[in-house]
Amino acid sequence: MFLANLGYNGRVNIVIKIGVGLEVFLLKHVVSVSLGSSRRDHTVRVELLGEKFKISRMGTDGDFNRALEVLRELDGKVDAIGLGGIDVYLFVRRKRYTIRDGLKLMEAVKVTPVVDGSGLKNTLEREVVRILAEKTGLLKRGMRVLMVSSLDRFGMAEALSDMGCDMTFGDLIFTMGMTYPVRTVAELEEIAGRTLPELVKMPFHMLYPTGKKQESQDEAKVKQFAHYYHDAEVIAGDYHLIRRFMPDGMDRRIILTNTTTREDIDFLREKGVGTLVTTTPEFEGRSFGTNVIEAAMVAILGKLPEQITPADYLDLLDKLDFQPRVLNLENR
Amino acid sequence: MHPVNCDTASRLVGRERDLSGFDLFRFQKPGKKQVLATHLEITESLTVFKDNYNNNLRLKVMNRDWDRVVVIKATDIESLHTLTLWDGEVSLKEGASENPDLTVISDSETLADIFYGDIAPTEPYNNGTLRIMGSEDDIIRLDFISLMIWGE
């Protein structure tokens, strides 16, 4: 078999297979470069709206310089890049805060469109909350919801609060060990306004577990803050944070997150979790981060990320018929 | 009386009077842009920080179970202070303490600027002007407290 990869403006690879019948197709390549563990690396091939995609994840085990190298190597050679394990932009209502380390990574890429998932997150996760409330009944007004971190997914936080959930925003609890649950979006926004303009300049690893830290639990905080998990009916937010602080005895709890693998599902089942809801679609047994899906959407739309509006994302989500994945973990 | 830097090679760049009526002189070393704050200025900045903290009920609630000893040490003048957080309240004393949970080290001017709220600690921390020895959680929390007092 002869396989040729012909680059076209560094954006489209044409693969010709000879020997198994002439097969010519356009393949779009999307890569997620993550500060997370390389143990979660994988590649899948999917078809979205008739276009074939190769989607890969490359973890750099928390090595920031390695991530910079990989991004520079990929620049101009793939169709879109997602940044994983780090945020670049935090949207808190109408304000946008830029994480300095995330921006350094983004600015290393000069040609290929690069996204961090925040644009899609702000749209998709609001939509997921609406779907779960209106179509599945999994979310109900008055439910006690713990968001382990909410400033990185303000859209979800606001949507859950707006539908009348009894919210506990755990950003201060789990980031710095402060036993101060924030209960309202208004207070969350006020604290963000005071502190985020400076905190986003701190080294990212001080704000969020990267690399090997993602593979272990923080036993001291698991023990100290278990009651916040046990008091909640729904635990929502970033999967790595949910996992890092999750205690045993999570009977019948609902987890609302994304970026889960089969191993993660086993972990949640061991903890007794009742239902797993992932906001992004499943490809070959795992749900991808929003950065990956946003990168694929950018490749489909063929626009620069800054030109894409929430309406573009909503329209595309509708065409792709993306639905949250609901997995019952109790009956398997 | 005050440990003002009286290095004869230093240049006088400022003069002020303290609460007791003594003249205080501020010196700048030749070839350096750095201005030295006095021990008294650091004490006053920490007093302002302490008072602002103790007048903030929310901060006291947030930190009610964060009992910590924080030593503040200047690198360019003789100046040591201890901030003690206990049951949500902050107290201040001059001098060091044994086995602090956090040690904040910087030049006198940066320390005074930070605790007066003239600058945020993030930039000097990132560029190495400010060093903080302690756990990452504690360092972030100290930064957070400062931002809750002085932030936008």
Side-chain angles (χ1 to χ4, degrees):
Chain A
M1 187 178 99
F2 173 74
L3 186 68
N5 266 319
L6 306 174
Y8 176 70
N9 288 341
R11 299 287 301 277
V12 178
N13 293 324
I14 299 171
V15 180
I16 303 169
K17 289 181 181 176
I18 299 172
V20 288
L22 187 64
E23 185 182 14
V24 179
F25 58 91
L26 295 175
L27 182 72
K28 287 194 171 174
H29 192 184
V30 171
V31 181
S32 170
V33 178
S34 173
L35 282 181
S37 167
S38 56
R39 283 185 59 188
R40 298 167 75 92
D41 284 357
H42 59 282
T43 296
V44 297
R45 286 166 191 267
V46 295
E47 193 169 318
L48 301 170
L49 297 179
E51 295 194 64
K52 289 186 167 61
F53 279 82
K54 179 183 171 187
I55 299 177
S56 314
R57 178 195 185 274
M58 298 171 73
T60 60
D61 297 313
D63 186 337
F64 192 85
N65 291 327
R66 174 74 187 131
L68 282 172
E69 278 173 29
V70 172
L71 288 166
R72 288 183 187 125
E73 283 167 17
L74 290 170
D75 191 15
K77 295 173 187 158
V78 295
D79 293 277
I81 295 173
L83 291 178
I86 189 165
D87 291 304
V88 181
Y89 301 117
L90 300 177
F91 291 94
V92 180
R93 222 183 286 276
R94 288 182 184 82
K95 285 192 179 170
R96 187 179 81 168
Y97 302 93
T98 306
I99 292 176
R100 187 177 280 182
D101 279 349
L103 189 64
K104 280 183 199 164
L105 293 177
M106 189 172 260
E107 287 179 345
V109 181
K110 306 294 183 194
V111 179
T112 302
V114 54
V115 293
D116 69 334
S118 57
L120 177 63
K121 224 188 275 183
N122 208 26
T123 309
L124 170 72
E125 294 186 346
R126 287 176 194 273
E127 191 63 8
V128 165
V129 169
R130 188 187 63 77
I131 291 169
L132 291 176
E134 292 177 5
K135 295 186 179 172
T136 70
L138 271 174
L139 289 178
K140 296 183 182 75
R141 184 179 177 79
M143 273 184 131
R144 296 185 305 280
V145 178
L146 167 66
M147 282 194 77
V148 285
S149 66
S150 44
L151 291 176
D152 60 330
R153 38 197 7 107
F154 191 78
M156 180 187 280
E158 203 171 32
L160 288 164
S161 179
D162 286 350
M163 68 161 284
C165 290
D166 179 0
M167 301 300 298
T168 296
F169 301 113
D171 302 67
L172 303 182
I173 299 168
F174 298 106
T175 304
M176 62 186 89
M178 184 180 274
T179 49
Y180 187 82
V182 176
R183 302 287 187 189
T184 66
V185 169
E187 186 175 17
L188 189 68
E189 192 179 357
E190 187 256 329
I191 290 172
R194 281 179 177 274
T195 60
L196 279 188
E198 288 297 319
L199 288 180
V200 292
K201 298 174 188 170
M202 294 294 280
F204 190 68
H205 66 83
M206 292 180 76
L207 304 171
Y208 180 83
T210 58
K212 298 286 180 195
K213 271 189 182 174
Q214 293 182 354
E215 294 169 16
S216 62
Q217 289 200 279
D218 183 333
E219 295 299 342
K221 283 186 185 169
V222 168
K223 196 172 173 185
Q224 187 180 358
F225 301 129
H227 61 284
Y228 289 112
Y229 275 76
H230 291 146
D231 287 348
E233 296 163 273
V234 179
I235 292 96
D238 177 88
Y239 179 73
H240 294 299
L241 290 177
I242 290 176
R243 182 191 188 284
R244 189 157 170 77
F245 307 113
M246 182 178 278
D248 292 331
M250 297 299 298
D251 305 1
R252 295 195 298 278
R253 303 303 194 286
I254 297 168
I255 306 297
L256 174 55
T257 188
N258 62 354
T259 327
T260 53
T261 63
R262 289 191 180 98
E263 280 179 10
D264 297 329
I265 292 168
D266 291 341
F267 173 87
L268 293 173
R269 192 174 278 125
E270 279 171 24
K271 294 288 183 184
V273 167
T275 307
L276 169 66
V277 180
T278 51
T279 57
T280 48
E282 178 191 340
F283 299 131
E284 296 182 8
R286 61 166 297 169
S287 60
F288 280 76
T290 41
N291 74 88
V292 182
I293 305 301
E294 186 174 339
M297 290 177 131
V298 166
I300 291 171
L301 289 166
K303 288 184 181 179
L304 293 171
E306 56 269 27
Q307 295 171 333
I308 300 172
T309 65
D312 289 329
Y313 284 127
L314 275 176
D315 182 51
L316 195 52
L317 286 170
D318 189 44
K319 285 178 184 160
L320 289 164
D321 195 28
F322 276 180
Q323 298 290 327
R325 182 177 61 143
V326 179
L327 199 56
N328 185 342
L329 302 184
E330 288 178 314
N331 302 329
R332 296 183 181 208
Chain B
M1 46 149 281
H2 299 298
V4 177
N5 188 324
C6 290
D7 180 348
T8 52
S10 298
R11 185 170 62 84
L12 180 67
V13 293
R15 177 178 175 169
E16 59 194 270
R17 186 156 287 187
D18 76 3
L19 298 173
S20 317
F22 288 95
D23 282 334
L24 300 171
F25 299 95
R26 306 178 87 190
F27 293 88
Q28 180 175 320
K29 286 181 180 171
K32 290 187 177 179
K33 289 182 182 172
Q34 187 184 24
V35 175
L36 306 183
T38 64
H39 174 75
L40 183 65
E41 282 176 299
I42 296 175
T43 307
E44 285 177 354
S45 71
L46 286 164
T47 304
V48 170
F49 178 85
K50 178 200 73 169
D51 291 345
N52 273 281
Y53 174 95
N54 286 334
N55 289 329
N56 188 322
L57 181 61
R58 183 166 57 169
L59 271 178
K60 291 202 282 191
V61 171
M62 284 175 166
N63 296 296
R64 64 194 178 282
D65 56 358
W66 196 59
D67 298 337
R68 293 291 187 278
V69 174
V70 183
V71 166
I72 297 97
K73 177 180 166 55
T75 51
D76 51 354
I77 63 170
E78 287 292 321
S79 178
L80 281 164
H81 292 85
T82 301
L83 283 174
T84 304
L85 290 100
W86 182 260
D87 202 19
E89 292 274 343
V90 172
S91 59
L92 171 67
K93 70 165 190 171
E94 295 189 45
S97 293
E98 286 186 9
N99 303 318
D101 300 291
L102 283 158
T103 306
V104 179
I105 305 165
S106 191
D107 61 82
S108 54
E109 188 69 11
T110 301
L111 290 175
D113 281 347
I114 288 171
F115 289 104
Y116 268 131
D118 290 340
I119 60 171
T122 322
E123 282 296 349
Y125 178 79
N126 284 342
N127 68 26
T129 308
L130 171 69
R131 286 186 293 136
I132 308 179
M133 293 154 64
S135 76
E136 285 193 353
D137 274 9
D138 284 353
I139 292 170
I140 286 279
R141 179 160 338 187
L142 195 59
D143 195 8
F144 175 84
I145 290 169
S146 167
L147 294 168
M148 287 298 286
I149 292 173
W150 304 119
E152 288 176 7

